[in-house]
Amino acid sequence: MRWFRAAHDASTNNATRSSNPIGAERDPQRVVTFSDAVIAIAVTLLVLEIKPPEDTEHLLGGLVELWPSYVAYAITFLLIGQMWVNHHVMFDHIRSADRMLLLLNTLLLMVIAFLPFASSLLANAFESGHGKRTALIFYGATYEVAALLFNVIWEYARSGRRLLTSATDNDTARAISRRFRPAPVWIAAGTALGALHPVVGLVVVTAFIPFYWLPIRGEVDSIRRTREQSHCDG
């Protein structure tokens, strides 16, 4: 019996270790604060990529010719804003961050910080009329990596409920997964179409902006339960 209890305790400990987060758990609020700062810098850099016309004698015409820069700025700003919102959606349901989550989030921020360059490349290609297909593919591929990382972060956090708050029920977790999963397919389709026709590809990539701004089913109720539980614990 003593051997059986020891073996049972060892197997229980192994099961617990296998479901535990990797490394020490940390307050996710610091992750969110740092992420907000990186995202804020990224959207600020977008406008710095728009260069004013050098020919001030024909300033109006020069400003009109910058229309690709305005379009790229608006689209990229809204897409980054969308990622900011959905990043908060994820972390509203994450109770702690371990080493792996920190690494994945860092990779996501690295891609977001790279987006001003991809946006500038796209605008320059459309302004010059050369390299539009390559620029669109590069732009779409950058967003594809970001979309994949969103899915990886969320699925890692919800796997075995290792990092989720107790107030986040399984239905809400699945609803968030269903919202995130179409993004890589959507962006990949737009990027592939962009290889054939850059404007069509850009329209397809842009089309998911309104869809991903919609609230996720169960999101509001779950957040309310989380806040009520935190007030009770306090």
Side-chain angles (χ1 to χ4, degrees):
M1 289 295 294
R2 184 177 301 171
W3 176 87
F4 176 78
R5 283 196 301 270
H8 179 269
D9 291 343
S11 63
T12 302
N13 290 336
N14 288 334
T16 302
R17 279 196 296 271
S18 65
S19 62
N20 276 346
I22 298 174
E25 297 181 39
R26 292 172 173 81
D27 183 359
Q29 187 55 48
R30 296 186 64 183
V31 180
V32 173
T33 301
F34 177 67
S35 301
D36 286 349
V38 173
I39 293 171
I41 292 171
V43 294
T44 302
L45 290 175
L46 285 173
V47 73
L48 298 180
E49 294 296 333
I50 303 177
K51 307 301 181 184
E54 296 181 1
D55 184 5
T56 56
E57 187 175 347
H58 305 91
L59 186 58
L60 180 59
L63 289 172
V64 172
E65 290 176 358
L66 287 175
W67 69 265
S69 293
Y70 307 146
V71 172
Y73 167 79
I75 292 173
T76 308
F77 198 107
L78 289 173
L79 285 169
I80 293 178
Q82 181 185 91
M83 288 192 285
W84 172 71
V85 170
N86 285 305
H87 190 272
H88 274 266
V89 168
M90 284 197 300
F91 278 87
D92 282 340
H93 299 282
I94 293 175
R95 61 173 174 76
S96 61
D98 65 3
R99 287 271 183 176
M100 180 58 71
L101 191 75
L102 292 174
L103 171 61
L104 294 172
N105 192 71
T106 299
L107 293 175
L108 175 62
L109 295 178
M110 182 173 67
V111 176
I112 292 175
F114 189 73
L115 284 169
F117 171 74
S119 177
S120 176
L121 189 70
L122 184 69
N124 290 338
F126 273 82
E127 285 174 11
S128 67
H130 303 294
K132 290 187 288 187
R133 287 182 174 82
T134 301
L136 193 282
I137 293 171
F138 189 84
Y139 187 78
T142 305
Y143 272 108
E144 179 73 10
V145 174
L148 289 171
L149 283 169
F150 258 99
N151 280 273
V152 171
I153 290 170
W154 178 247
E155 293 305 322
Y156 174 76
R158 74 178 284 251
S159 177
R161 299 186 59 86
R162 56 158 64 90
L163 297 175
L164 295 186
T165 64
S166 58
T168 301
D169 55 47
N170 291 330
D171 289 340
T172 299
R174 283 193 292 268
I176 294 173
S177 293
R178 285 193 298 270
R179 174 61 63 85
F180 287 171
R181 284 172 185 165
V185 178
W186 197 327
I187 296 171
T191 305
L193 287 172
L196 302 174
H197 196 294
V199 175
V200 174
L202 186 60
V203 169
V204 172
V205 171
T206 306
F208 83 20
I209 292 177
F211 174 73
Y212 274 87
W213 275 99
L214 295 173
I216 299 172
R217 183 174 60 83
E219 173 189 340
V220 176
D221 291 339
S222 182
I223 292 173
R224 189 186 69 247
R225 289 194 299 271
T226 301
R227 289 174 178 170
E228 288 175 352
Q229 181 178 354
S230 64
H231 288 322
C232 292
D233 293 342

